[in-house]
Amino acid sequence: MKILISSVLILLILAICYKGVRAQVNSFNDPSSIYPEEAEDEGNKNIPETLLAGMPVLEKAKGAFIIDGENGQILYSHLSDQEVEVAAVSKLLTIYLVYQALDQNKIELSQEVWISDRVYEMSQDYDIPNVPLRQDIPYKIEDLLQAATVSSANSATLALAELVGGTEKNFVKIMRDQLDKWQIESYNIVNATGLSSQYDPNDKDSNLAGEFNRLNAEAVATIAYHLSVDYPQFIENSSIAKMLFQEGSSDEFEINNPNKMISEADSKYAYDIIDGMVLGSSPKDGYSSVISAKRGNFRTIVVILGVDEESAIYQKNKHLVDYSFNAYRVETVIKKNNSASQVDAILVENGTKDHVDLEYKRDLNLVVPIIDTAPRLTYTFDPNEDIKESGYISAPVSSGIEVGKVQVNIADYTLPVIPSGSGNAVTVMTGEDIEVATKVNQMWHAVQENIGKFWDSTRRYFTDLFN
């Protein structure tokens, strides 16, 4: 009888232990037990109230926005969803699309462009920013692009738009499609230049009525952000104070940058840390500007829309530029090729190692409030879908394989990021090669793993039983 009772007790214990092991194995095979189903996107939260309290109040402006030039973090926002007639500021989008066409080898800088009748007529209007163009000679794309960038020349801008789009109407569709790709929901784009939809070069008053390109401050900042990140040569070109268009030819023509804040400008508003972008004005909404400023490795982009006086917009720009560098700093929180020690190692199936070491693909510099002298960082790993589903990666494994992204947040001062910004996420990749294990090793690893799980489950069972 004692033997029977003992046997039943042992079988009962083994059954319970087996159940515990099965539960543990099932839990291990369930990716949700290793990775969260949906990490909260803290990057899209609002600016923390402790920062909002110290932000300057911008009066007599219809919109303003400050964004960092590396990740797209939002540093300041004022009426940022209010659409404004942005005039020449909308040329930033046109110029971006020209650079994009160059990047895609659809056109070349040295390529020559013949001038259409419409562009020629526009080029003869000296009441708007312009360069004079002729129809009996072609112009290099490089020269037209510089004229559009430095002096906001409308005729050069239109010539480039017609080249890339075939017609300005087609080009406007490309502009709208690009805004959609950047997840910009609110806009009104009617042409490539920012002039009135009723503009007639033979009627000087025609630019005072009709429809105009309308964007809000966040949309403008998004365009400027992508232009500076994807095509940084634009910053250098937009920092030129004056130059000669068609230098050395009989048509040589001096063009001047309307932005009086760039460091090279011969103006009382010149500021040594401002290195480019654009100024524009519309009949209804007044002056609007985009300013790029850099100090050390920290670049900010300041957008101000709808200010009545030119001198006032420069003063407001300086105020917001100074605020940016007085309120924030840049801190390197991840170094390229460093071990991703903040991320749990990924398990390897049938490999000579049971897990693979991970490392980061690039540096990550986050904008941090200066008041946070020792920021506390949080790391959230989002693995690729196949790893989420299986919970492991199969051997053989090569170094440099992307396995997911880690999002880094500052615990107390997480700044929001524009939807299309690179943000605070860094790609995580494998940091070593792992070969396929022999069949014998695979069987031995499996035995070791199951024995380990069995005894761990047994230990837990008796711990729970006697506590």
Side-chain angles (χ1 to χ4, degrees):
M1 187 67 178
K2 290 181 179 179
I3 295 173
L4 180 61
I5 294 173
S6 298
S7 299
V8 172
L9 182 60
I10 290 171
L11 289 173
L12 180 62
I13 292 171
L14 288 174
I16 293 171
C17 291
Y18 175 74
K19 183 178 180 182
V21 172
R22 285 298 302 271
Q24 188 179 23
V25 171
N26 290 338
S27 175
F28 174 78
N29 288 329
D30 178 10
S32 65
S33 68
I34 306 173
Y35 310 111
E37 287 185 13
E38 195 72 38
E40 183 180 7
D41 186 8
E42 295 188 9
N44 289 325
K45 286 184 178 179
N46 294 327
I47 296 174
E49 291 185 7
T50 48
L51 295 178
L52 285 172
M55 289 184 176
V57 177
L58 198 67
E59 297 179 347
K60 297 182 179 179
K62 296 181 179 179
F65 208 80
I66 306 177
I67 188 173
D68 99 273
E70 183 172 345
N71 304 315
Q73 293 173 271
I74 300 169
L75 312 184
Y76 177 88
S77 178
H78 169 71
L79 301 177
S80 60
D81 58 352
Q82 179 171 284
E83 285 188 8
V84 177
E85 292 180 0
V86 293
V89 169
S90 54
K91 288 186 176 73
L92 293 179
L93 180 55
T94 299
I95 292 171
Y96 178 91
L97 293 171
V98 173
Y99 276 118
Q100 186 181 76
L102 288 165
D103 193 37
Q104 295 171 349
N105 297 317
K106 294 179 179 178
I107 56 176
E108 297 180 358
L109 276 177
S110 59
Q111 183 177 334
E112 293 185 328
V113 180
W114 291 91
I115 301 305
S116 68
D117 291 345
R118 186 159 174 259
V119 172
Y120 171 74
E121 289 181 2
M122 179 182 287
S123 74
Q124 305 308 302
D125 184 356
Y126 296 102
D127 289 327
I128 59 175
N130 243 335
V131 287
L133 300 174
R134 294 162 48 179
Q135 289 187 290
D136 58 339
I137 59 171
Y139 294 85
K140 288 183 178 180
I141 289 177
E142 183 176 16
D143 294 338
L144 294 172
L145 187 55
Q146 279 202 317
T149 301
V150 174
S151 70
S152 197
N154 286 281
S155 54
T157 302
L158 180 58
L160 292 168
E162 289 182 347
L163 173 69
V164 173
T167 65
E168 186 181 22
K169 182 178 179 179
N170 289 341
F171 187 81
V172 167
K173 184 180 184 303
I174 298 173
M175 295 172 78
R176 293 169 179 165
D177 288 344
Q178 186 61 61
L179 294 177
D180 292 340
K181 288 177 184 176
W182 286 331
Q183 301 177 54
I184 295 172
E185 299 177 351
S186 177
Y187 60 81
N188 183 45
I189 299 294
V190 297
N191 57 39
T193 59
L195 296 171
S196 164
S197 60
Q198 295 183 11
Y199 168 75
D200 179 352
N202 299 310
D203 179 3
K204 65 170 57 178
D205 294 328
S206 62
N207 199 39
L208 301 177
E211 274 193 281
F212 290 83
N213 291 342
R214 298 177 63 86
L215 294 165
N216 61 43
E218 182 174 353
V220 172
T222 300
I223 297 167
Y225 164 78
H226 285 287
L227 188 51
S228 66
V229 169
D230 297 342
Y231 308 111
Q233 61 268 43
F234 168 77
I235 297 292
E236 182 179 353
N237 288 332
S238 66
S239 68
I240 298 171
K242 62 182 177 179
M243 63 175 291
L244 294 174
F245 178 70
Q246 296 291 92
E247 184 176 7
S249 74
S250 58
D251 293 328
E252 189 175 88
F253 184 80
E254 182 176 278
I255 55 178
N256 295 279
N257 197 322
N259 181 2
K260 296 176 183 177
M261 292 197 77
I262 54 175
S263 58
E264 293 184 6
D266 182 17
S267 166
K268 64 180 181 180
Y269 301 112
Y271 197 2
D272 61 352
I273 60 173
I274 291 178
D275 57 4
M277 291 281 179
V278 67
L279 174 77
S281 65
S282 81
K284 177 183 176 183
D285 288 329
Y287 290 89
S288 295
S289 68
V290 182
I291 297 294
S292 168
K294 188 175 184 182
R295 180 175 288 167
N297 65 340
F298 182 18
R299 177 182 298 283
T300 62
I301 296 169
V302 176
V303 174
I304 300 179
L305 306 181
V307 176
D308 290 340
E309 298 179 1
E310 185 177 1
S311 60
I313 201 168
Y314 293 137
Q315 293 166 3
K316 294 178 191 300
N317 270 310
K318 186 176 187 306
H319 186 43
L320 291 189
V321 167
D322 288 342
Y323 164 76
S324 300
F325 295 111
N326 291 333
Y328 299 98
R329 73 180 193 278
V330 167
E331 181 159 319
T332 302
V333 298
I334 282 178
K335 294 290 289 183
K336 180 180 179 180
N337 296 330
N338 273 11
S339 173
S341 56
Q342 298 86 358
V343 177
D344 290 339
I346 292 177
L347 300 177
V348 178
E349 182 186 51
N350 298 332
T352 53
K353 286 184 63 177
D354 60 3
H355 69 276
V356 61
D357 293 333
L358 305 173
E359 60 184 37
Y360 296 115
K361 189 173 183 178
R362 69 174 179 94
D363 292 347
L364 177 62
N365 301 311
L366 286 185
V367 177
V368 181
I370 287 177
I371 58 176
D372 193 358
T373 55
R376 182 170 60 88
L377 304 176
T378 62
Y379 299 81
T380 304
F381 181 50
D382 184 22
N384 294 343
E385 286 301 320
D386 54 343
I387 297 175
K388 271 185 183 179
E389 291 176 5
S390 65
Y392 57 81
I393 187 171
S394 297
V397 176
S398 301
S399 62
I401 296 175
E402 296 184 3
V403 295
K405 292 181 181 292
V406 65
Q407 182 174 289
V408 186
N409 283 313
I410 301 166
D412 301 317
Y413 296 101
T414 296
L415 293 167
V417 177
I418 60 169
S420 59
S422 63
N424 49 351
V426 177
T427 297
V428 178
M429 58 187 183
T430 55
E432 59 181 332
D433 298 332
I434 297 179
E435 297 178 355
V436 177
T438 64
K439 292 295 182 182
V440 173
N441 284 339
Q442 289 180 30
M443 291 175 62
W444 178 241
H445 282 312
V447 169
Q448 286 181 313
E449 183 180 315
N450 287 329
I451 290 174
K453 290 175 182 177
F454 174 80
W455 286 116
D456 185 58
S457 180
T458 303
R459 179 185 59 79
R460 290 182 185 178
Y461 170 75
F462 281 107
T463 299
D464 294 340
L465 187 64
F466 296 106
N467 285 326

